[in-house]
């Protein structure tokens, strides 16, 4: 048995492969030693029942009239605002529009999970699902999803045209496009990609953005010792 | 609300146009006691005499002077004294055609408006054999939708920025949203985002404290906020406003009248509480009697009453279905239905609102597929629809649903919370409206809150089902029994709608051979008089101490209320359509949603309505109770409103609609002016449904 006395509280090392003495003296990363991890967000029957009970007003506006054209309108408005900055060239301007649109649409559709209201009516059934996964009750290849997939593609094509195929800007745009299109693929439905997953307990639960993982507030370095109350306090 | 003495929002609309003098005068007597009928009568007769002297015309009929002459007295509370100083809002004294000597004053005008013009009446019935036109929601022009999306985007971005910066620089006021001292946050900041950042901006529209009876007019407690709706501070003043926002379809929300007197009598006999749950000593003969009255009203064999409308659905639906059953519910069903459905553990499928083709294809899918994973047949399939949907004002297409029921053999549950008492020539709900036999529906549920001036709900069906529900429903064992005063109100209001038949029926029953038998079986004692649905109820089935005044007992007033309600609904609906607004729903529904679309216009509409010379208090509904772009104002018309009240609402909407650009329905050439609408009211109402 190796005897190691960690100076700080460390995650338990229960990986099956034999550990060399060299790795135990360093801070080991826990169970998962990979940079990227893909996890599936499962659904239970209870969640299915909860989801079917109410119509999801957070997600069904994308099928309403005007919800598709608003993307075009917002892109045009953004382009005009960016062009108003003095000294702006069309190459930089189109790249900026592309990047900002991809960033904001990623934030709105693929980062934030849950519903920002009426959480008691849905019973937390959508708490782990991003807006993309809530659209059309999770069905794939629907018209709304096809539109939302093609808008970044068209914007990318426009930006490569107006940057005159400059290789650096092309590379930047292409990477941004791939990064934004990956979560829209049906294969990545309900999958979460975690980078340097922080799993102290050994099993990572998908958490919403606002809550830190459990134990984040637990004082690690000693903290205040517990106060032991005896009867003498009350005399 | 006086504008000068404390800070208001810098964006407040300039109130220079509305005269503040009347508001100040009104607030002198903050304890406003309603005038007695006699003093009111005398005041009106004197006003009428003055008007006649001024006109010097020959009156065709004499005003009703019979009661007043001996009881005339004028104090500070009479309407006449009020009228000179503070009736500039026109709410306390009726305008319009005065009554003739056959017509009686039975109500207070501020609770139930006096309207003696027989032209302003309509019968609410679906013409037999006419096709049912499915309502198509009108869409606004694109710039409205874009501006709505952009306004929501701006609000959301600003909200997130304020949260972000506030947590860093102002963390004291965000303590409940952030983890601290090892405690998790009290509220999730993401779940409450909408409430804190969007709804709180509009909070002056919501949770308005009111006092007094919510009848034709309502008394608002004025309030102001020094810190952008975070806290609301009450003033000492009241504002009397025209109430087009309460569920009071037949106008039974009255503090004075035949039903109120009956309730007092019932309270003297039965007390104020039932002292227990139904299955544990809280049942009384009044409960049994009320349930039989309700069953007769609805046209079913039996009924069970629960003390709370929401609880009726949430406690009885789990007794009807369980795991292994399927519930097919409309998209826009009420929260109580969903609560009950979720509680029961049954599977749920939703179909697009009121779309019968989608319903049929869903039925074919679920019946052919069976239960998920095992594909066994479902134990039961229950279709739950509402008679009238409160957010949209649409009605269920009951004849089509019944033909589907014949074909696919599912069970049908109709929630008539908003349609019972309000729809149909006899006020018996959607079945009456479409002239179908109510026994074809398996379960009819309804509430007493909207049309009967009471509270609570009922479920009705055949006797075996209701007997089982009494035991298996949660409310029988766990919730309190409904209280006697409310039961008396239910009995009195239903009897006045049904009309009481005072004739003594057959005291002897006959057996099959036509020979009179002795009443050995217990059932004959109860069924001495036959009840034919829809028809009058026999005096014997009502409590013997219940005596309603003649207009109520004969059913004349009940019929008048039904017809006034139908006229008012059609008039407001069609009037708003002709003025150019977009409204949803069936024109016979007393709920009239007027679409506003932009979130900011809602609060402006509300404020402009409240600041008028005749203040009008309205209800605004927005996302997330409705889909994102369709924010709306929801008018709830009542039989207590007169045609002049609806005129004032139409005029107000016309003015405000021009200011806020809300008229996206009819094009400019086809619209009518508001004066034209008011003059051609009767013509508007009598256009047939499918031609409009």
């Amino acid at each position: 048995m190796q005897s190691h006395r960690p100076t700080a509280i460390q995650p338990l090392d229960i990986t099956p492969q034999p550990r060399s003495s060299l790795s135990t003296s360093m801070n080991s990363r826990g169970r998962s030693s990979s940079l990227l991890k893909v996890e599936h967000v499962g659904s239970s029957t209870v969640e299915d029942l909860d989801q079917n009970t109410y119509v999801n007003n957070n997600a069904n506006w994308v099928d309403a009239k005007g919800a598709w054209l608003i993307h075009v309108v917002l892109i045009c408005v953004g382009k005009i605002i960016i062009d108003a900055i003095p000294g702006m060239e069309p190459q930089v301007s189109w790249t900026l529009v592309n990047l900002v649109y991809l960033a904001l649409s990623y934030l709105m559709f693929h980062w934030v999970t849950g519903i920002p209201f009426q959480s008691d009516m849905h019973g937390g059934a959508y708490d782990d699902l991003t807006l993309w996964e809530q659209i059309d009750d999770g069905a794939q290849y629907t018209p709304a999803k096809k539109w939302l997939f093609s808008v970044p593609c068209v914007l990318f094509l426009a930006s490569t045209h107006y940057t005159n195929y400059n290789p650096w800007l092309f590379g930047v745009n292409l990477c941004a496009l791939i990064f934004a299109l990956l979560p829209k693929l049906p294969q990545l439905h309900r999958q979460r990609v975690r980078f340097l997953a922080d799993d102290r307990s050994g099993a990572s639960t998908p958490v919403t953005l606002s809550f830190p993982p459990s134990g984040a507030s637990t004082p690690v370095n000693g903290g205040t010792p517990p106060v032991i109350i005896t009867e003498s306090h009350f005399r | 609300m006086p504008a000068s003495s404390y800070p208001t929002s810098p964006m407040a609309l300039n109130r220079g146009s509305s005269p503040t003098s009347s508001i100040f005068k009104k607030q002198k007597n903050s304890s406003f006691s309603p005038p007695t009928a006699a003093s009111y009568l005398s005041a009106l007769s004197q006003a009428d005499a003055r008007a006649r002297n001024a006109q010097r015309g020959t009156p065709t009929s004499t005003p009703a002077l019979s009661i007043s002459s001996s009881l005339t007295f004028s104090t500070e509370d009479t309407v006449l004294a009020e009228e000179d100083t503070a009736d500039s809002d026109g709410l306390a004294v009726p305008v319009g055609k005065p009554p003739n000597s056959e017509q009686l004053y039975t109500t207070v005008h501020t609770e139930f408006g006096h309207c003696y013009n027989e032209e302003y009446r309509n019968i609410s019935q679906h013409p037999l054999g006419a096709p049912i036109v499915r309502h198509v929601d009108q869409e606004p022009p694109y710039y409205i939708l874009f501006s709505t999306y952009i306004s929501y985007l701006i609000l959301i971005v600003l909200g997130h920025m304020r949260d972000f910066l506030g947590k860093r620089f102002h963390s004291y006021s965000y303590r409940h949203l952030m983890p601290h001292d090892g405690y998790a946050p009290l509220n999730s900041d993401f779940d409450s985002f909408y409430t804190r950042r969007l709804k709180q901006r509009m909070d002056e529209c919501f949770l308005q404290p009111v006092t007094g009876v919510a009848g034709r007019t309502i008394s608002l407690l004025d309030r102001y906020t020094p810190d952008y709706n975070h806290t609301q501070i009450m003033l000492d003043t009241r504002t009397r406003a025209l109430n087009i926002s309460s569920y009071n379809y037949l106008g039974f929300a009255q503090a004075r009248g035949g039903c109120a007197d009956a309730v007092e009598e019932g309270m003297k006999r039965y007390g104020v509480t039932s002292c227990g749950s139904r299955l544990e000593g809280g049942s009384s003969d009044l409960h049994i009697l009320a349930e039989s009255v309700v069953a007769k009203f609805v046209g079913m064999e039996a009924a069970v009453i629960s003390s709370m409308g929401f609880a009726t659905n949430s406690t009885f639906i789990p007794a009807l279905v369980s795991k292994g059953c399927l519930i097919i519910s409309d998209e826009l069903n009420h929260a109580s239905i969903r609560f009950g459905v979720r509680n029961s553990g049954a599977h749920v499928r939703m179909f697009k609102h009121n779309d019968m083709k989608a319903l049929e294809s869903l039925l074919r899918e679920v019946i052919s597929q069976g239960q998920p994973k095992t594909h066994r047949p479902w134990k039961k399939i229950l279709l739950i629809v509402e008679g009238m949907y409160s957010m949209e004002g649409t009605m269920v297409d009951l004849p089509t649903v019944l033909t589907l029921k014949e074909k696919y053999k599912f069970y049908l549950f109709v929630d008539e919370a908003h349609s019972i008492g309000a729809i149909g020539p006899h006020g018996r709900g959607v079945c009456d409206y479409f002239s179908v036999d109510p026994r074809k529906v398996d379960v009819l549920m309804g509430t007493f809150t909207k049309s009967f001036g009471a509270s609570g709900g009922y479920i009705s069906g055949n006797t075996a089902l209701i007997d089982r529900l009494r035991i298996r429903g949660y409310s029988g064992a766990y919730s309190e029994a409904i209280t006697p005063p409310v039961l008396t109100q239910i009995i009195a209001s239903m009897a006045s709608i049904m009309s009481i038949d005072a004739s003594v029926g057959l005291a002897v029953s006959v057996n099959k051979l036509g020979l009179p038998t002795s009443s050995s079986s217990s059932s004959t004692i109860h069924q001495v008089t036959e009840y034919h649905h829809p028809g009058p109820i026999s005096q014997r089935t009502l409590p013997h101490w219940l005596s309603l005044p003649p207009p109520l007992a004969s059913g004349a007033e009940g019929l008048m209320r039904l017809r006034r309600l139908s006229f008012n609904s059609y008039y407001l609906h069609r009037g708003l359509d002709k003025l150019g607004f977009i409204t949803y729903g069936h024109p016979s529904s007393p709920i009239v949603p007027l679409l506003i679309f932009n979130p900011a216009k809602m609060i402006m509409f509300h404020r402009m309505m409240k600041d008028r010379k005749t203040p009008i208090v309205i209800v605004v509904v927005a996302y997330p109770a409705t889909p994102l772009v369709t924010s709306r104002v929801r008018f709830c018309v009542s039989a207590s409103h007169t045609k002049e009240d609806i005129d004032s609402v139409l005029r107000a909407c016309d003015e405000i609609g021009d200011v806020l650009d809300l008229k996206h329905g009819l094009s400019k050439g086809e619209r009518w002016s508001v004066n034209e609408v008011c003059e051609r009211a009767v013509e508007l109402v009598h256009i047939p449904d499918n031609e409009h």
Side-chain angles (χ1 to χ4, degrees):
Chain A
M1 283 297 286
Q2 307 108 351
S3 63
H4 58 274
R5 297 202 196 284
T7 51
I9 299 173
Q10 291 189 6
L12 279 181
D13 215 2
I14 50 172
T15 50
Q17 57 262 38
R19 314 286 308 210
S20 63
S21 57
L22 195 61
S23 63
T24 54
S25 56
M26 297 190 290
N27 283 343
S28 42
R29 211 174 270 153
R31 246 178 111 181
S32 162
S33 52
S34 54
L35 277 175
L36 241 59
K37 203 165 67 149
V38 177
E39 282 175 339
H40 179 76
V41 175
S43 74
S44 58
T45 37
V46 170
E47 263 189 17
D48 277 339
L49 288 180
D50 276 331
Q51 286 177 8
N52 270 331
T53 323
Y54 286 97
V55 59
N56 186 359
N57 270 332
N58 183 36
N60 58 6
W61 60 271
V62 296
D63 291 318
K65 177 182 172 187
W68 290 11
L69 281 184
I70 192 70
H71 290 268
V72 178
V73 166
L74 285 174
I75 289 171
C76 293
V77 167
K79 178 81 174 57
I80 291 170
I81 293 177
I82 291 179
D83 274 345
I85 301 174
M88 183 62 61
E89 302 153 22
Q91 298 185 342
V92 180
S93 154
W94 275 104
T95 311
L96 267 183
V97 167
N98 192 19
L99 292 179
V100 167
Y101 175 78
L102 289 177
L104 290 178
S105 65
Y106 186 86
L107 179 69
M108 181 169 178
F109 285 98
H110 302 289
W111 185 264
V112 174
T113 60
I115 299 184
F117 50 81
Q118 280 179 341
S119 49
D120 48 332
M121 285 232 264
H122 292 275
Y126 291 108
D127 277 352
D128 300 328
L129 297 182
T130 61
L131 182 55
W132 184 264
E133 288 154 2
Q134 292 174 26
I135 293 175
D136 294 325
D137 294 323
Q140 303 298 332
Y141 309 110
T142 63
K145 290 192 174 174
K146 286 179 187 166
W147 168 260
L148 290 170
F149 194 94
S150 41
V151 170
C153 297
V154 170
L155 195 55
F156 167 74
L157 290 174
S159 66
T160 53
H161 171 77
Y162 283 105
T163 58
N164 302 319
Y165 301 95
N166 177 355
W168 290 108
L169 291 179
F170 177 82
V172 163
N173 281 330
L174 187 65
C175 288
L177 179 73
I178 291 177
F179 185 69
L181 282 188
L182 269 181
K184 301 196 202 304
L185 295 173
Q187 286 73 21
L188 280 178
H189 180 69
R190 280 175 178 260
Q191 310 278 6
R192 302 273 177 271
V193 178
R194 297 202 185 278
F195 179 67
L196 288 178
D198 186 21
D199 47 352
R200 296 173 196 206
S201 61
S204 234
T205 53
V207 291
T208 56
L209 191 61
S210 41
F211 285 111
S214 70
S217 305
T218 312
V220 170
N221 295 319
T224 56
V227 177
I228 300 181
I229 301 178
T230 58
E231 205 187 319
S232 55
H233 280 87
F234 296 104
R235 295 242 184 86
Chain B
M1 202 163 85
S4 52
S5 50
Y6 39 80
T8 54
S9 158
M11 288 188 345
L13 189 66
N14 186 7
R15 295 212 200 93
S17 53
S18 68
T20 52
S21 58
S22 64
I23 300 174
F24 279 121
K25 289 240 175 84
K26 220 184 301 189
Q27 282 144 13
K28 256 190 238 165
N29 41 346
S30 54
S31 57
F32 175 68
S33 55
T36 60
S39 62
Y40 177 97
L41 198 57
S42 69
L44 196 60
S45 69
Q46 290 175 33
D48 185 60
R50 273 199 312 237
R52 283 170 205 283
N53 285 338
Q55 279 177 19
R56 293 179 183 279
T58 53
T60 53
S61 58
T62 56
L65 283 174
S66 48
I67 312 172
S68 68
S69 46
S70 55
L71 296 172
T72 319
F73 53 90
S74 64
T75 65
E76 280 299 313
D77 307 311
T78 58
V79 176
L80 191 58
E82 280 275 358
E83 181 193 352
D84 286 342
T85 54
D87 188 48
S88 50
D89 59 3
L91 287 175
V93 177
V95 290
K97 199 167 144 187
N100 55 26
S101 47
E102 292 100 42
Q103 289 157 337
L104 299 172
Y105 276 120
T106 46
T107 56
V108 179
H109 187 60
T110 46
E111 286 176 359
F112 188 92
H114 300 128
C115 172
Y116 296 101
N117 192 337
E118 287 300 317
E119 283 192 342
Y120 299 150
R121 310 278 187 263
N122 186 35
I123 299 180
S124 134
Q125 185 168 28
H126 183 79
L128 284 169
I132 295 165
V133 180
R134 185 148 184 265
H135 173 83
V136 174
D137 293 343
Q138 265 182 305
E139 297 278 357
Y142 269 107
Y143 75 94
I144 295 282
L145 295 172
F146 290 154
S147 56
T148 311
Y149 287 124
I150 291 176
S151 48
Y152 273 113
L153 192 65
I154 293 174
L155 287 168
I156 291 173
V157 166
L158 274 180
H160 279 302
M161 268 172 32
R162 286 183 66 186
D163 273 351
F164 182 80
L165 296 171
K167 279 187 200 163
R168 270 142 193 82
F169 298 120
H170 229 273
S171 50
Y172 183 73
S173 37
Y174 289 79
R175 273 189 338 273
H176 57 294
L177 299 172
M178 296 192 292
H180 65 100
D181 295 336
Y183 285 105
L186 192 63
N187 299 103
S188 156
D189 61 348
F190 185 69
D191 285 341
S192 60
F193 178 76
Y194 178 79
T195 311
R196 283 180 301 112
R197 290 298 172 210
L198 275 79
K199 183 168 175 284
Q200 204 173 60
R201 286 170 179 266
M202 292 198 305
D203 249 349
E204 74 167 67
C205 305
F206 303 122
L207 296 176
Q208 168 74 50
V210 296
T211 179
V213 165
R216 177 180 153 263
T217 62
I218 196 167
S219 201
L220 310 173
L221 273 65
D222 297 324
R223 56 186 184 167
Y224 78 102
T225 173
D227 53 0
Y228 301 104
N229 292 330
H230 200 66
T231 50
Q232 303 268 5
I233 301 186
M234 295 294 166
L235 299 164
D236 283 333
T237 58
R238 312 271 165 95
T239 309
R240 181 154 284 276
L242 182 65
N243 181 14
I244 197 148
S245 48
S246 291
Y247 290 141
N248 181 23
Y249 298 144
L250 289 180
F252 278 112
Q254 291 171 266
R256 288 149 199 245
C259 293
D261 298 333
V263 167
E264 270 191 56
E265 185 63 33
M267 262 202 288
K268 285 183 199 153
R269 287 169 185 268
Y270 287 90
V272 294
T273 173
S274 312
C275 305
S277 60
R278 284 299 298 276
L279 296 178
E280 284 191 10
S283 271
S284 66
D285 57 336
L286 195 61
H287 288 87
I288 312 291
L289 204 139
E291 286 176 351
S292 78
V293 171
V294 168
K296 290 187 167 61
F297 185 89
V298 170
M300 289 291 214
E301 285 180 23
V304 58
I305 293 182
S306 132
S307 58
M308 190 181 149
F310 190 104
T312 312
N313 275 330
S314 56
T315 53
F316 284 110
I317 293 183
L320 287 170
V321 288
S322 62
K323 207 162 166 233
C325 306
L326 175 71
I327 293 194
I328 301 182
S329 92
D330 190 288
E331 238 179 14
L332 299 178
N333 271 344
H334 189 252
S336 58
I337 298 177
R338 301 175 189 279
F339 200 95
V341 158
R342 188 66 193 87
N343 248 352
S344 66
H347 267 271
V348 193
R349 294 294 297 267
M350 288 195 289
F351 68 96
K352 196 158 169 302
H353 174 60
N354 250 358
D355 189 349
M356 293 297 125
K357 290 194 173 36
L359 172 61
E360 183 161 10
S361 64
L362 178 66
L363 277 167
R364 293 172 84 90
E365 183 200 329
V366 297
I367 294 177
S368 57
Q369 293 295 313
Q371 303 193 21
K373 293 194 187 98
T374 58
H375 295 287
R376 291 205 197 121
W378 295 101
K379 282 204 251 171
K380 230 183 281 188
I381 298 185
L382 180 67
L383 173 68
I384 302 186
V385 286
E386 286 192 32
M388 180 165 314
Y389 293 89
S390 58
M391 277 306 153
E392 311 278 315
T394 45
M395 256 197 291
V396 68
D397 186 354
L398 194 62
T400 313
V401 170
L402 286 175
T403 42
L404 285 175
K405 182 176 179 343
E406 303 283 319
K407 191 171 169 192
Y408 293 102
K409 306 209 181 5
F410 49 83
Y411 294 109
L412 181 59
F413 181 110
V414 179
D415 177 344
E416 288 204 279
H418 287 270
S419 54
I420 191 75
I423 303 281
H426 310 277
R428 313 295 175 105
V430 268
C431 302
D432 198 25
Y433 181 83
F434 287 110
S435 311
V436 303
D437 184 13
R439 305 244 167 144
K440 286 195 186 161
V441 180
D442 297 300
V443 186
L444 275 176
M445 177 261 172
T447 59
F448 304 114
T449 327
K450 284 90 185 175
S451 303
F452 303 106
S455 73
Y458 67 89
I459 296 223
S460 63
N462 58 14
T463 317
L465 171 73
I466 298 299
D467 284 343
R468 187 56 102 164
L469 279 184
R470 282 186 217 278
I471 300 173
R472 285 202 50 163
Y474 299 162
S475 65
Y478 297 114
S479 85
E480 80 286 0
I482 186 168
T483 169
V486 177
L487 276 178
T488 320
Q489 167 74 21
I490 294 169
I491 297 172
S493 54
M494 280 195 168
S496 54
I497 300 173
M498 287 164 86
S499 77
I500 302 177
D501 182 12
S503 62
V504 177
L506 285 171
V508 169
S509 67
V510 291
N511 66 5
K512 278 188 213 163
L513 296 174
L515 300 170
T517 64
S518 60
S519 51
S520 52
S521 57
S522 57
S523 61
T524 57
I525 298 175
H526 295 291
Q527 292 163 7
V528 234
T529 50
E530 290 279 331
Y531 170 73
H532 299 282
H533 180 82
I537 189 170
S538 150
Q539 178 78 52
R540 286 167 172 259
T541 41
L542 295 175
H544 62 93
W545 44 265
L546 182 77
S547 61
L548 294 172
L552 281 178
S554 64
E557 184 159 338
L559 201 60
M560 183 263 289
R561 284 170 193 251
L562 286 168
R563 295 194 173 169
R564 267 175 72 167
L565 173 66
S566 179
F567 177 86
N568 288 343
S569 321
Y570 270 96
Y571 180 34
L572 186 62
H573 235 117
R574 297 242 170 97
L576 286 174
D577 280 342
K578 286 293 184 208
L579 285 176
F581 293 99
I582 297 183
T583 58
Y584 282 177
H586 198 275
S588 71
S589 85
I591 300 171
V592 185
L594 189 153
L595 271 287
I596 291 189
F597 300 108
N598 288 74
K601 290 184 188 173
M602 279 195 294
I603 175 170
M604 218 60 238
F605 197 96
H606 179 94
R607 208 181 275 178
M608 289 175 81
M609 279 279 198
K610 210 162 70 131
D611 286 344
R612 290 176 68 79
K613 192 155 164 293
T614 313
I616 304 176
V617 64
I618 57 168
V619 160
V620 289
V621 200
Y623 179 70
T626 64
L628 180 64
V629 289
T630 53
S631 325
R632 59 197 74 175
V633 170
R634 198 182 61 174
F635 294 118
C636 295
V637 164
S638 156
S640 59
H641 293 125
T642 59
K643 189 228 175 227
E644 289 78 27
D645 294 332
I646 311 283
D647 281 346
S648 61
V649 171
L650 284 170
R651 280 179 207 280
C653 286
D654 185 55
E655 282 175 30
I656 302 176
D658 280 333
V659 170
L660 294 179
D661 185 30
L662 296 175
K663 295 185 178 175
H664 303 292
L666 287 180
S667 57
K668 269 221 174 97
E670 294 176 358
R671 283 181 215 161
W672 291 11
S673 73
V674 68
N675 289 325
E676 203 181 337
V677 169
C678 294
E679 279 161 29
R680 292 166 70 174
V682 180
E683 183 194 329
L684 263 185
V685 169
H686 289 300
I687 301 175
D689 280 346
N690 45 2
E691 279 175 30
H692 182 74

